[in-house]
Amino acid sequence: MDNLTLLFQGFADALHPEFLVYAFLGVLIGTAIGVLPGIGPAMTVALLLPLTYTLEPTAALITFAGIYYGGMYGGSTTSILLNTPGESASIVTAIEGNKMAKLGRGAAALATAAIGSFIAGTIATIGLTLLAPTLAALAVKLGPADFVALIVVAFITVGALLGNSVWRGLVSLGFGLFLGLVGTDVLSGQQRYTLGIPPLADGIDVVLIAVGLFAVGEALYVAARMRSGPIDVIPITKGWRSWLSKEDWRRSWRPWLRGTAIGFPIGSIPAGGADVATFLSYATEKKLSKKSSEFGRGAIEGVAGPEAANNAAAAGVLVPLLTLGLPTTATAAIILSAFQSYGIQPGPQLFTNQPQLVWTLIASLYIGNVILLVLNLPLVGVWVKLLQIPRPYLYAGILTFAAFGAFAVNFAIADIVILLVIGVLGYFMRRFGYPIAPLVVGMILGPMGEAQLRKALQLSQGDLSTLVLHPFAAVAYTLMALLIVGALWLRRRQRRFEEVLTASLAVPEKVNEAP
Amino acid sequence: MSSLTTSGPGRGDAAGPSGSRTSPQASRFRGRLGELIFAAVGIALGLFALIGSFGIRVPESNRVGPTVFPILVAVILLISSVAVLIGVLRGRLGSPDESEDVDLSHGTDWLAILKLVVLLVAHLLLIGLTGWWLAAAVLFGGAAWTLGAKRWWVALLVGLGLGLAIQILFGELLGLSLPLGPILGWLGPLI
């Protein structure tokens, strides 16, 4: 029960008024930025990273935890209230939530999303509390070959299985791995692919990659194909006290719990976080519902389940991140780099080396969740205003903050040049349907994978069989094979499912548009 | 999101009610050409990584030196880019990303992209000359104008306000070293 004491200690630290203010600000800013259209959780985290540069590590990580949860939740508000499709993680929320809003039940959709996110986030954080120390204790025993196996699994799932096209995902992964190579090799001190340009000798900062791909890439992409016409925000009229009727509660609580049960495990394994979880939750709710005909026309279960799954997965992603140092989503990769910029290396040793920091962070996740709930329902009016920001100003702001973030990394003009190049790359990746996440994850995990690979081969004196003969590694590869089969099956289902969905949704939209 | 992988270059062709500025054939060809170029860039990068790996000095003592992983990366890039290239030639085009503010039935506005790139270059050149805040104002105002802000001077004023706010909050109060530039240089010691 040592961990419980540590957790209470963490609460005592996190409830310190100063840290509470940071948690509050983190959630507030995270949600506000996450609500802005065109900005997903990964971009929220990347854009707000510079804000934490001036803080000391604990305060920065607490702020960051708030930003992470806030950014996750902000996206769902956007998809419920804005009449256009958005982030893939909240796309199922968009389907039902948007229909509910159009029927005048937007308030209920927002409420079930907020309360579901709170419940799922809290339960998943409890799961993280219970699971992480045990896992970290086990992970200490893992050798380099085992880590190579884990990293390969992460590469395959994030790179090959999550996008629409296996090969496009691998190209993106390859770009990321290559960018991770640029710089000075730590083990041998040799420069690689620096072309003799001094700013490249230290390697490319992941913040430049993330901000370039997400912020600059998105701004260029929007600039090229700006949606014209007025911004279509669905109005919320009712007072927030009457948001959820008794009937809504009755229909919501089971999906919340089921969503949590689906989201947390999927977030914890290297299977790419929230996308898969939200889709699975939606499919489950549709199957279990007695009113499945309501799905596609504003079923509250279709908001409650996926939103819970989304947030539970967000907490689940922190399990491998904190215990193994393995980021499995683009957002997690950026968080990892934030840790590293403070000289903190997440991984098996983190719980023994920096117990105070970890437990304060975990405690602040609980607190962040409460703040999220308290903040979100009353502030909906503000979020609606944010959605109406004129788009030219919104994307000009994104570009300016991207340039600011890039410059603030080292105060080097060369970094903005890199930002621009990466941004143009990001534009073409969006345009041609290459997923972005594998690049970011590959860029972060590549150097780690290389270090472990070389350590493993050093230990085995160059014998390659060491990579698969370690029991844990062997299990990991076997599971990966199963995962690939499972994921391919799942993706085929998802694709068919989405086709049916788009077909059923396309019909009424056309009717609306007819003059 | 996914149904498009096998069916043409953009949803615009199917869903756009009056999007017939270019013939579908021409836009399909152009979409494919861009895709081919991008895949070729992937191949070129793979080749560059492979050839470059021979230029890395390998210290004698290392059993697994600094070139092993680069070669692996090069192989991943080459194989996957070639696979995409073949896929594109067979007509399997990527589906462009969807986003809240993107209308895929539009054609690409290359001029807007060019303007934003030029603005970013101007921004990075101006930081040292005029101070960060003014460079930011130019970037913000220019970008907002490019993206269709109705009055350019409002955009520039908002940019000026934003630039000054960030400059004062982060540069002066929180101590990030954003150059103040000649116009406001005298302010530095005062804050």
Side-chain angles (χ1 to χ4, degrees):
Chain A
M1 281 293 87
D2 200 25
N3 289 328
L4 206 59
T5 336
L6 284 166
L7 179 64
F8 282 127
Q9 182 59 44
F11 266 109
D13 289 336
L15 284 170
H16 197 278
E18 189 198 338
F19 289 154
L20 266 183
V21 171
Y22 284 125
F24 183 82
L25 283 179
V27 172
L28 184 68
I29 300 172
T31 315
I33 303 297
V35 163
L36 294 174
I39 303 190
M43 205 207 289
T44 307
V45 175
L47 274 179
L48 291 176
L49 193 55
L51 292 188
T52 61
Y53 282 164
T54 49
L55 302 174
E56 48 110 3
T58 315
L61 291 183
I62 287 176
T63 314
F64 225 68
I67 291 173
Y68 180 55
Y69 273 9
M72 272 288 172
Y73 178 76
S76 64
T77 309
T78 321
S79 48
I80 289 171
L81 294 180
L82 205 60
N83 209 355
T84 48
E87 291 296 316
S88 59
S90 47
I91 202 151
V92 277
T93 314
I95 299 163
E96 298 302 331
N98 207 257
K99 295 278 177 237
M100 282 180 73
K102 279 184 187 159
L103 293 171
R105 309 223 318 121
L110 285 171
T112 198
I115 298 166
S117 293
F118 167 72
I119 290 174
T122 305
I123 296 176
T125 310
I126 294 173
L128 170 74
T129 312
L130 298 175
L131 197 60
T134 327
L135 212 60
L138 286 175
V140 176
K141 300 191 186 105
L142 296 181
D146 303 323
F147 270 96
V148 172
L150 279 172
I151 290 170
V152 169
V153 172
F155 280 163
I156 298 293
T157 49
V158 178
L161 296 181
L162 287 179
N164 288 325
S165 148
V166 173
W167 294 115
R168 275 165 217 272
L170 285 178
V171 171
S172 170
L173 179 72
F175 276 128
L177 291 173
F178 177 79
L179 290 170
L181 284 175
V182 176
T184 309
D185 173 39
V186 186
L187 291 178
S188 66
Q190 297 302 312
Q191 291 209 354
R192 296 190 294 196
Y193 306 110
T194 56
L195 304 170
I197 304 168
L200 290 180
D202 292 333
I204 302 171
D205 199 288
V206 70
V207 173
L208 299 179
I209 304 282
V211 173
L213 286 175
F214 288 111
V216 179
E218 176 80 8
L220 292 177
Y221 192 56
V222 170
R225 294 175 165 187
M226 183 80 118
R227 189 186 293 277
S228 47
I231 302 160
D232 206 355
V233 179
I234 303 161
I236 296 288
T237 42
K238 268 196 276 177
W240 60 276
R241 267 162 228 290
S242 55
W243 272 17
L244 277 186
S245 67
K246 214 171 236 161
E247 165 80 0
D248 290 333
W249 279 98
R250 205 180 52 71
R251 286 177 64 178
S252 287
W253 70 270
R254 266 183 286 244
W256 288 337
L257 295 182
R258 277 194 293 261
T260 312
I262 291 169
F264 182 67
I266 289 188
S268 311
I269 58 171
D275 283 24
V276 184
T278 48
F279 152 71
L280 265 184
S281 165
Y282 186 82
T284 310
E285 293 311 326
K286 190 173 182 188
K287 192 157 233 173
L288 289 176
S289 171
K290 286 175 205 110
K291 302 173 181 166
S292 61
S293 63
E294 246 183 66
F295 274 72
R297 274 179 282 166
I300 194 166
E301 293 92 341
V303 181
E307 267 313 293
N310 187 23
N311 256 46
V317 165
L318 295 176
V319 174
L321 183 69
L322 290 177
T323 59
L324 301 169
L326 282 185
T328 52
T329 61
T331 319
I334 300 163
I335 294 176
L336 180 73
S337 84
F339 274 96
Q340 286 168 339
S341 70
Y342 290 104
I344 303 160
Q345 182 58 51
Q349 275 89 32
L350 188 66
F351 279 81
T352 42
N353 291 352
Q354 309 233 12
Q356 199 193 355
L357 182 104
V358 180
W359 288 107
T360 309
L361 178 68
I362 292 178
S364 80
L365 291 177
Y366 288 98
I367 297 167
N369 249 317
V370 178
I371 298 176
L372 198 59
L373 182 69
V374 175
L375 212 62
N376 265 309
L377 296 182
L379 281 185
V380 156
V382 179
W383 307 149
V384 170
K385 288 258 159 36
L386 282 177
L387 287 176
Q388 287 163 324
I389 289 182
R391 296 306 183 250
Y393 290 94
L394 172 64
Y395 288 96
I398 290 176
L399 262 185
T400 309
F401 268 97
F404 168 60
F407 187 60
V409 175
N410 296 312
F411 303 103
I413 303 285
D415 283 348
I416 306 182
V417 179
I418 297 174
L419 178 84
L420 180 56
V421 173
I422 299 293
V424 172
L425 175 70
Y427 166 77
F428 283 106
M429 288 177 70
R430 277 181 172 69
R431 185 183 160 88
F432 297 133
Y434 290 81
I436 308 272
L439 199 163
V440 181
V441 171
M443 150 107 200
I444 286 286
L445 273 183
M448 288 167 64
E450 179 181 17
Q452 300 285 3
L453 176 73
R454 282 160 75 175
K455 221 189 282 176
L457 291 180
Q458 212 80 272
L459 287 174
S460 76
Q461 315 225 318
D463 180 7
L464 283 172
S465 66
T466 181
L467 294 176
V468 285
L469 288 185
H470 270 253
F472 179 85
V475 171
Y477 288 122
T478 317
L479 284 177
M480 179 176 80
L482 291 175
L483 209 65
I484 291 176
V485 175
L488 287 178
W489 173 79
L490 206 69
R491 205 169 63 185
R492 255 191 35 205
R493 268 203 59 175
Q494 181 172 1
R495 187 166 297 172
R496 232 182 312 157
F497 174 81
E498 275 172 1
E499 267 163 29
V500 173
L501 215 59
T502 18
S504 71
L505 290 176
V507 180
E509 302 241 334
K510 281 222 176 101
V511 174
N512 287 343
E513 277 163 21
Chain B
M1 212 178 119
S2 56
S3 56
L4 286 166
T5 29
T6 51
S7 68
R11 182 158 292 178
D13 294 339
S18 60
S20 54
R21 263 160 295 141
T22 50
S23 74
Q25 233 101 40
S27 77
R28 183 158 303 169
F29 171 74
R30 232 183 299 153
R32 190 179 283 201
L33 186 68
E35 284 247 36
L36 289 177
I37 293 172
F38 195 85
V41 168
I43 295 174
L45 191 69
L47 284 176
F48 173 72
L50 192 63
I51 295 165
S53 74
F54 296 119
I56 302 168
R57 264 193 337 119
V58 184
E60 290 287 313
S61 58
N62 280 24
R63 190 179 291 275
V64 188
T67 58
V68 175
F69 201 68
I71 293 173
L72 266 176
V73 173
V75 169
I76 292 176
L77 265 173
L78 282 174
I79 292 178
S80 51
S81 301
V82 168
V84 170
L85 192 78
I86 293 171
V88 173
L89 286 175
R90 286 187 175 170
R92 255 174 286 156
L93 300 186
S95 44
D97 267 14
E98 289 177 32
S99 172
E100 281 100 343
D101 293 321
V102 166
D103 186 350
L104 290 176
S105 59
H106 280 304
T108 304
D109 184 353
W110 289 106
L111 188 62
I113 296 177
L114 186 71
K115 279 182 196 162
L116 290 186
V117 170
V118 168
L119 279 165
L120 269 169
V121 172
H123 170 73
L124 66 91
L125 292 176
L126 281 175
I127 289 177
L129 290 175
T130 65
W132 189 86
W133 56 278
L134 199 53
V138 170
L139 175 61
F140 184 96
W145 168 73
T146 304
L147 292 165
K150 286 194 192 82
R151 283 156 303 191
W152 63 268
W153 52 273
V154 175
L156 198 62
L157 278 180
V158 174
L160 212 53
L162 183 72
L164 280 172
I166 294 178
Q167 179 86 46
I168 290 167
L169 180 65
F170 287 93
E172 308 311 312
L173 299 180
L174 292 173
L176 297 186
S177 57
L178 303 175
L180 260 175
I183 304 174
L184 288 182
W186 53 273
L187 256 178
L190 295 180
I191 301 176

